[in-house]
Amino acid sequence: MYQFPQNLYADVRIEDVSQTAISYENGSLIQNRTSHEVGAFLRVWDGVRWYYSATTDLANIQEELDNLAALAAPNPEISKDPVVQQFEVNRDVCLKYRDTDIREIRNQEKLELLQSYLPLVSEVPEITEWSGSYLDTYTEKKFWSSLGADLHFDYQRASVVLDFTIGSGSVPQPGRVHVYEQHFSSLKNRHDQLKQKIHQHLDYAARAVPVEPGTYTCVLSPTVAGVFAHESFGHKSESDLMLGSETMMQEWALGTKVGSDILNILDSGVPEGSGYVPYDDEGTKAKTNYLIKNGVLAGRLHSASTAVALGEQVTGNARAMDFSYEPLVRMTSTYIGGGEDTFEELLAPIKLGVYIAEFKHGSGMSTFTIAPSLAYMIREGKLAEPVRVSVITGNVMHTLHEIDGLSKDETICSMSTGGCGKMEQWPLRVAFGGPYVRVRNIQVQ
């Protein structure tokens, strides 16, 4: 164990990461790589400023820690420092994935799994270009602090991703299908599921017509609803963004009415998936945090420093992309809470609207923009013809009040590739989701 400096706060985070990436492109194997990296991030706090160091030289962590301590000013009252008092002192071993450790699966078995899925795209005449990827990551973390925290936990993910271009329609149509799981065995025998999704893309490419631009009532799928929650509101809830902005602090005062009475938006590191974070990178245990509750601003996401600055409590959202970086305030799994309707009941009152089934990308702060990849007209309460939609957009604060229907069950959707970006830290694993969401007055182009 490390000797932590006296009269200072310090913590050490060690990450051990193993990854496999296998890729085919139009029939050619272009990558089959397994990597392994171990590194540590160290911090020292003297009550005035942080001192950081990242290293892959694990044998000299104590020396690095001592060097940081030498830069800091000893503070005999450090235990009374407000930031230090925010830190949780958790001790836990939470190795959920040791029994199904993906590192124990032979590379040949991973390669053969991916190869079994490739005919789903390679043997379809309408598909002109395609790629297929197998990706997995196993991460093991250890965390110690001068307060006595002692954590050892892991998480892992595995996925198969098929990207393709359909050239048979009036315009080339890109598509993507994927399977994301925590366990390798769960990736097997999913061919029918992916084949059905590919056929949906083929049908869309063959029949989709341009949408008539206008203002519509839209129904968002759980995936698209999650992107909306993440992009339009999740980033606004990252409290470090409002520090130093008196305007934002006034506009986003807790207790402010910001949306429809039926709207709840939550963030949680508890659910399994790409947003699973049992402990954040300051040792705070995962929590389920209401950001909006019954349409009212109920909370925001914090590190220890931002919690002190705003007079609130830590939420388990101090996260770093890897051991090279300091923790920032970041989302985990951000989702809209479920309501009372079925999907059919959400559609029923809509005379003319648009259903957004899948998305290419999204962005948003004051204004949100989502580019759909699959969309359908709603006519007289029923799904109708597929339509090509460039973007849906709207003012965030206006749109939150326009949500007037939610299906009963919410789905949290994991990301097989990519992640969330903030400052130089990209991509960070996150998840998002929700129920089916009905929202009025969306600009559709």
Side-chain angles (χ1 to χ4, degrees):
M1 183 53 62
Y2 306 111
Q3 295 296 315
F4 287 104
Q6 297 295 313
N7 300 321
L8 296 169
Y9 169 82
D11 58 42
V12 175
R13 180 179 90 241
I14 295 179
E15 300 185 14
D16 186 329
V17 183
S18 296
Q19 296 182 305
T20 299
I22 307 172
S23 299
Y24 277 83
E25 189 172 293
N26 297 323
S28 298
L29 179 65
I30 61 172
Q31 178 179 233
N32 187 351
R33 178 175 59 87
T34 296
S35 62
H36 178 227
E37 188 173 32
V38 184
F41 190 87
L42 297 75
R43 305 191 305 172
V44 169
W45 169 250
D46 62 7
V48 177
R49 61 177 56 86
W50 285 103
Y51 300 86
Y52 300 135
S53 177
T55 181
T56 57
D57 184 4
L58 301 192
N60 289 313
I61 287 180
Q62 186 64 58
E63 182 180 349
E64 287 284 323
L65 193 59
D66 294 341
N67 289 340
L68 289 179
L71 298 173
N75 181 355
E77 301 296 313
I78 194 66
S79 64
K80 299 178 182 178
D81 178 82
V83 173
V84 173
Q85 291 184 336
Q86 283 281 346
F87 290 126
E88 295 181 353
V89 184
N90 293 302
R91 301 178 180 89
D92 190 17
V93 176
C94 183
L95 299 173
K96 292 185 65 171
Y97 303 103
R98 275 295 177 85
D99 291 341
T100 57
D101 190 336
I102 206 151
R103 297 172 298 183
E104 301 300 320
I105 306 298
R106 294 180 301 111
N107 180 271
Q108 183 64 28
E109 191 171 350
K110 298 174 182 180
L111 178 64
E112 290 173 356
L113 175 75
L114 174 60
Q115 290 172 338
S116 76
Y117 283 103
L118 298 183
L120 295 178
V121 286
S122 66
E123 297 180 0
V124 177
E126 296 91 340
I127 291 178
T128 56
E129 295 182 356
W130 60 267
S131 63
S133 300
Y134 169 88
L135 305 163
D136 70 38
T137 303
Y138 180 93
T139 301
E140 186 174 349
K141 286 191 178 184
K142 296 179 180 179
F143 179 91
W144 300 272
S145 80
S146 57
L147 299 179
D150 188 346
L151 298 171
H152 186 188
F153 60 93
D154 65 352
Y155 47 81
Q156 74 176 13
R157 55 177 177 165
S159 59
V160 171
V161 184
L162 301 175
D163 289 291
F164 50 90
T165 300
I166 301 169
S168 59
S170 57
V171 296
Q173 175 69 31
R176 164 176 282 196
V177 297
H178 74 109
V179 181
Y180 176 105
E181 294 291 346
Q182 274 72 52
H183 310 289
F184 180 81
S185 60
S186 299
L187 293 177
K188 299 179 180 180
N189 303 316
R190 306 290 285 274
H191 301 72
D192 288 345
Q193 174 189 341
L194 293 185
K195 186 176 182 179
Q196 182 179 1
K197 291 181 179 179
I198 291 168
H199 282 172
Q200 183 182 13
H201 283 272
L202 291 168
D203 177 75
Y204 179 86
R207 298 197 299 119
V209 297
V211 73
E212 183 70 30
T215 302
Y216 294 90
T217 292
C218 291
V219 174
L220 312 180
S221 72
T223 303
V224 178
V227 172
F228 170 75
H230 176 101
E231 296 290 357
S232 68
F233 192 79
H235 283 294
K236 288 179 178 292
S237 299
E238 293 172 337
S239 54
D240 51 350
L241 295 178
M242 69 172 53
L243 296 181
S245 173
E246 197 64 37
T247 299
M248 282 193 69
M249 292 178 68
Q250 291 175 358
E251 290 178 350
W252 294 92
L254 298 183
T256 302
K257 180 72 170 176
V258 293
S260 166
D261 289 345
I262 65 171
L263 177 63
N264 296 290
I265 297 181
L266 305 91
D267 184 273
S268 176
V270 175
E272 281 197 281
S274 56
Y276 172 66
V277 182
Y279 294 90
D280 74 4
D281 290 326
E282 293 185 328
T284 303
K285 189 175 178 62
K287 299 171 175 59
T288 297
N289 304 292
Y290 272 89
L291 307 179
I292 296 177
K293 190 169 186 179
N294 300 327
V296 174
L297 189 64
R300 47 187 143 245
L301 308 179
H302 281 297
S303 65
S305 295
T306 63
V308 169
L310 294 177
E312 296 168 14
Q313 298 298 313
V314 290
T315 59
N317 292 90
R319 303 184 62 199
M321 187 177 74
D322 59 41
F323 71 85
S324 302
Y325 296 96
E326 77 277 16
L328 302 175
V329 181
R330 307 297 298 272
M331 287 174 272
T332 53
S333 299
T334 308
Y335 57 99
I336 298 175
E340 299 180 351
D341 296 323
T342 65
F343 178 60
E344 292 73 20
E345 288 169 340
L346 291 179
L347 297 180
I350 302 174
K351 298 297 182 183
L352 184 66
V354 181
Y355 168 55
I356 309 299
E358 293 187 12
F359 76 102
K360 299 174 188 173
H361 54 80
S363 63
M365 281 295 279
S366 298
T367 300
F368 75 90
T369 300
I370 297 174
S373 59
L374 294 177
Y376 298 83
M377 291 304 299
I378 303 168
R379 298 186 186 276
E380 302 298 332
K382 303 290 184 182
L383 292 183
E385 75 275 12
V387 286
R388 291 195 297 272
V389 177
S390 297
V391 295
I392 63 172
T393 186
N395 175 274
V396 171
M397 298 313 297
H398 174 74
T399 302
L400 292 176
H401 288 278
E402 296 291 338
I403 293 172
D404 71 346
L406 304 166
S407 67
K408 295 176 183 177
D409 298 323
E410 68 257 7
T411 301
I412 296 180
C413 309
S414 291
M415 302 180 69
S416 293
T417 61
C420 180
K422 184 174 181 179
M423 299 172 64
E424 74 278 13
Q425 295 195 39
W426 181 91
L428 183 74
R429 300 172 306 104
V430 294
F432 44 76
Y436 291 94
V437 175
R438 186 176 64 214
V439 54
R440 303 179 298 254
N441 297 316
I442 296 291
Q443 295 297 314
V444 178
Q445 302 174 30

